Structures are given as C-alpha cells and as structure tokens.
Amino acid sequence: MSSLFALVDCNNFYVSCERLFNPSIKNSPIVVLSNNDGCVVSRSQEAKDLGIKMAVPAFLIESVIKKHNIHVYSSNYALYGDISSRVMATLETLAPELEVYSIDEAFLNLSGFTLMGSLADYGKKIQKTVRQHVGVPVCVGMAPTKTLTKLANYAAKKYAATGGVVDLSDPERQRKLMEITPVDEVWGVGRKSAEKLKKIGIKTVLQLAQMDLDRAHKRFSILMVKTIEELNGTVRFDLEDNPVSKKQIMCSRSFAERMTDKEQVRETICEFAARVAERLRGDGQVCSVVNVFIRTGVFSSVDPQYSNSATAKLSVPTSDTRIILKAATDLFESIWKDGHRYAKSGVMLGDFCDKDKVQLDLFSQPSTQSANEGLMSAIDQINEGGRGKVWFGGQRPKEDWFMRRAHLSPAYTTRWEDLPVVN
Ligand SMILES: [Mg+2]
C-alpha cells in the first residue's frame, strides 16, 4: 500500500486570527508582534509587500508603520490558541489520523484512505471546510512522505496559481519542483546544514535528493539520510516523528467514553501536562505559553456542545513540571463547565526558547532562578488566562507591569466581556 500524507498550514496565522473579528482590516497591512512587543512574528501579505521582514525588531520599522498606516497587534495567545483548536477539531473530521505539528499546522496521514474524487479535490475540500467552520485561510500540500508534503505546502504558498493546494504525488512533478527549489527550503535542513551543503555544490532540493547516502551520513547525520530518503518517497518520519524539534508541543486525546466528572477530566489534563513538560525537557527547551482545551463531541446532535480553551503566559520561561501542571489545572478551572459530556481534552506548550538562552525578565533575580524556589516565583507571574487572570495561593499580582502588550486585541472567543458586538 502506498503512503500518503497531507500538511495543512494556516496562512499568516496570527494575522488571519486578528482579521476574523475585524473585517475592516481585511485588506490592510498588518503585523503581529512577539512578547513585550519585541519583534514581528506574523505579517499580512500587504505588510510583506512593503518589505517588512520576519523577526525584525519593532522599533526599527516605526517610521514604515507610520508612513503606511500599518496595523500593529500584540500577540494574543488566548485568541490564537482557541482558533487553533477549532482548526484542529475541523481537520479531525476530515482525516483518519492527525498530528498537530504546530499552532497552525497539522499533518494528516491519508494512507489507505479512500478518497472521493481527485487528491486536489480533497485538498480544496479541506480548504473550504476550514474556511467555513473557522474562517481562516489554509494551504494544503499532499505527497507520499511528510518531507515532501512540506515541500508541496511551500509551493502552494509560493505560487499563487496553485490556489493554495498542491498534489505532489507524481514523481515527475516532485522532480520538477525540487529542481527549482533551493535546498534551504527542505524541512529539517537548518541554516548551518544548508550552508555546508552549498559549499559542496548542493544548492537545489533535487541535488540533495540525489546525494549519496553514505556520504550524507559521514558528512552530516542519520537525520540527513532519512531526509534524503523521504525526498525520494520512502517514509522515514511517521506521525509524531520529526527531524526538528517542534514550535509547539501538544498532547491531546479523544476519550474512550464521554466524561461528565470534573475530577476525571482534570486527571487527563494533569497527565497531558506532565507529558508535554517531559517532552519539552527532552528537547532541551523551555516554554512560556501554556494552553488547555476541553470540548464535547463536535458533531453530536444529541448532546449540547461546549468547547473552550484558555492560555497562560509565563513571564519566565520554564520546563518545570510543577509550574506547567499548576498553570494547566488553573486554566482548566477557568474553562470547566458542569453538565456536559466531554469527548476530548488537551494541553499545548508554546513560545519555546533554548534552556540556556532564557532571557530573565527585568525584575527577576538570576540567583533565585537556579533554585527550585526561584522557579516557583515564576508562578506568581503567570498571567493572561483566556477567561481573566491566573494566579496562585490567592496572590493576585497588583499590576500587569511585567508584560507590555500595548496593541492587544480583545480575547474575542474566550472572554465574555470581549465578545464582538454586531450592530
Ligand atoms: Mg502558517
């Protein structure tokens, strides 16, 4: 049986989320800024066309922002996390197996899946369904391996004529695309490896695909060998198996039976939180965003539906299970509603950085950070729950002075006070 995967990736995700609730900025240039309004993390096409680069510090583009009337937003994790879980819930109804790869990307395993119509039709159906159910635009790439779907998705984004859907199952098509695509675009090939490859004359994806495997192993690593095999159509990365560490780590599961008991659902949250924290430490990373969701069955005609998620922003990044666990259970408390039959829950960690490169916030003492007690102090600084604030030991921080979020949009979907008003 031949393998078949799809990668669904939301376009300019944070910007698309902001646009959902603000149609008046549909065609305006928009940028979304990272923590503390530091640098650009998402751009609308109009902003890209104005020459604004990814990750550029906000203060460097102040004059451009003014001149072109660019709309600026602070990262609204509660909103993005919630829209993300809606996208994923929609995708689950369209494919037998799914891996949430990042906040705005999912791999689908379509091997052995009987399609009605062509692959391209199926891709269009995914696009249309997500657009109808959630409202955000996505690109879809389909191919025999995950590495090739990444490439297909790259083409779907880069070439407007594709309409955002690329079926890369044909080997001849694969070859043509690989020939014109720089090797930097290959999934799992980092900047350093790309430079090294170019030095030995490997500039295009096709040249990498044709590289001798022994040579690749000697000069690089087993991961490079697997990547080359994937480019040639052999599956080396199954779902939940990837050549690079993720931008988000997610653990979620559909329950075997519907759950109505709060303690029971809370236990699943605790288990997932412990597991994602473990994986995070395994990657040598720390996180500063924790997201929790719970929901009933999506398409049950009998049960009333309920779905909610909440997000906490940690001002000091951590991989400490106790902190992540506490944040997750507090978030759970904030979204729990009695009287529903729950079908699924999940915990997601995001906003990673290297454990050794943790930037302490302005008011943290480095000496306390190394000790466990120091880590506990971070607990007090968790903020921004989807439904109001999260804090511990009854201690509410007096003011949110530690996070600068001057351009924050309302938590439209997760806070009652922020529900959009239609006139
Ligand atoms: Mg994306």
Side-chain angles (χ1 to χ4, degrees):
M1 187 184 69
S2 58
S3 59
L4 183 62
F5 292 88
L7 175 66
V8 182
D9 187 355
C10 302
N11 305 346
N12 314 328
F13 183 58
Y14 295 176
V15 164
S16 299
C17 291
E18 297 292 348
R19 276 180 171 161
L20 264 183
F21 296 94
N22 202 344
S24 71
I25 55 170
K26 204 174 152 202
N27 300 307
S28 316
I30 305 168
V31 295
V32 176
L33 303 179
S34 63
N35 284 336
N36 302 310
D37 295 343
C39 48
V40 172
V41 288
S42 185
R43 305 160 295 161
S44 70
Q45 189 56 48
E46 297 78 10
K48 289 176 192 173
D49 293 344
L50 287 170
I52 294 179
K53 297 266 179 280
M54 197 65 171
V56 66
F59 72 89
L60 285 181
I61 53 167
E62 264 167 22
S63 60
V64 188
I65 287 172
K66 261 201 195 121
K67 187 173 167 205
H68 297 283
N69 212 357
I70 298 173
H71 296 257
V72 178
Y73 290 90
S74 309
S75 289
N76 186 340
Y77 295 104
L79 177 65
Y80 311 151
D82 188 54
I83 301 301
S84 171
S85 59
R86 291 174 194 215
V87 171
M88 300 309 167
T90 303
L91 293 179
E92 270 173 32
T93 65
L94 296 167
E97 261 188 287
L98 163 143
E99 171 193 354
V100 177
Y101 179 64
S102 73
I103 195 163
D104 71 331
E105 282 170 281
F107 285 108
L108 317 180
N109 187 353
L110 305 175
S111 311
F113 184 48
T114 314
L115 291 171
M116 310 292 270
S118 73
L119 250 191
D121 286 344
Y122 176 72
K124 292 226 164 68
K125 184 184 167 193
I126 292 177
Q127 237 181 358
K128 204 176 130 200
T129 312
V130 176
R131 190 57 128 178
Q132 272 173 355
H133 290 196
V134 192
V136 295
V138 301
C139 280
V140 184
M142 292 161 292
T145 66
K146 283 168 81 178
T147 304
L148 285 170
T149 64
K150 274 277 189 183
L151 207 62
N153 208 290
Y154 159 84
K157 285 220 165 62
K158 186 171 171 70
Y159 304 105
T162 63
V165 174
V166 169
D167 166 9
L168 202 60
S169 53
D170 174 42
E172 186 50 28
R173 263 195 120 186
Q174 291 166 17
R175 205 190 58 80
K176 280 184 184 157
L177 178 62
M178 290 197 275
E179 204 169 5
I180 57 166
T181 307
V183 74
D184 315 56
E185 298 301 336
V186 175
W187 187 41
V189 173
R191 200 167 42 85
K192 273 192 195 147
S193 297
E195 272 167 30
K196 208 167 143 191
L197 283 166
K198 283 179 202 162
K199 271 193 197 130
I200 56 170
I202 295 174
K203 297 187 171 91
T204 69
V205 183
L206 187 61
Q207 286 171 320
L208 177 61
Q210 292 166 343
M211 189 180 184
D212 180 70
L213 292 181
D214 281 338
R215 189 174 176 223
H217 199 179
K218 277 188 198 114
R219 293 220 177 201
F220 296 89
S221 66
I222 188 69
L223 277 181
M224 188 64 88
V225 174
K226 286 183 175 182
T227 296
I228 293 169
E229 290 178 307
E230 284 242 322
L231 288 174
N232 287 290
T234 306
V235 175
R236 288 288 177 244
F237 302 117
D238 271 310
L239 290 191
E240 300 297 346
D241 189 8
N242 300 301
V244 280
S245 20
K246 293 186 180 190
K247 285 182 281 178
Q248 282 90 24
I249 295 177
M250 160 82 116
C251 193
S252 75
R253 193 138 314 153
S254 297
F255 308 146
E257 277 165 33
R258 298 281 191 266
M259 291 186 191
T260 52
D261 182 45
K262 185 176 179 183
E263 279 317 303
Q264 223 183 350
V265 181
R266 183 210 293 275
E267 269 169 30
T268 69
I269 296 289
C270 291
E271 193 192 320
F272 296 156
R275 216 176 292 169
V276 286
E278 210 176 276
R279 273 199 250 160
L280 185 67
R281 286 194 297 275
D283 282 351
Q285 294 193 298
V286 289
C287 75
S288 55
V289 165
V290 182
N291 174 272
V292 166
F293 78 85
I294 49 173
R295 65 168 165 80
T296 56
V298 183
F299 294 117
S300 164
S301 50
V302 196
D303 300 329
Q305 289 183 21
Y306 176 68
S307 165
N308 206 349
S309 73
T311 304
K313 178 85 190 70
L314 315 169
S315 78
V316 179
T318 187
S319 61
D320 188 319
T321 297
R322 292 164 306 171
I323 295 173
I324 290 166
L325 204 76
K326 185 79 170 86
T329 49
D330 279 18
L331 291 169
F332 167 73
E333 285 292 338
S334 76
I335 56 174
W336 173 262
K337 232 167 112 181
D338 276 323
H340 286 290
R341 288 160 49 77
Y342 289 92
K344 189 168 185 173
S345 70
V347 177
M348 190 187 77
L349 305 179
D351 204 8
F352 298 160
C353 60
D354 234 31
K355 156 168 127 284
D356 306 321
K357 292 184 193 137
V358 173
Q359 216 181 5
L360 295 178
D361 85 88
L362 200 54
F363 302 97
S364 297
Q365 295 299 320
S367 57
T368 61
Q369 289 306 317
S370 51
N372 284 339
E373 299 92 273
L375 285 172
M376 295 311 283
S377 79
I379 286 175
D380 304 330
Q381 298 181 344
I382 288 168
N383 74 347
E384 281 310 316
R387 287 259 182 108
K389 306 288 177 200
V390 178
W391 57 92
F392 301 103
Q395 296 277 302
R396 184 171 189 167
K398 285 195 182 68
E399 272 173 294
D400 291 336
W401 43 259
F402 42 84
M403 272 286 281
R404 189 175 156 223
R405 301 171 85 186
H407 310 280
L408 188 63
S409 53
Y412 297 110
T413 58
T414 51
R415 196 154 58 209
W416 289 114
E417 308 90 82
D418 289 350
L419 273 181
V421 178
V422 181
N423 294 311

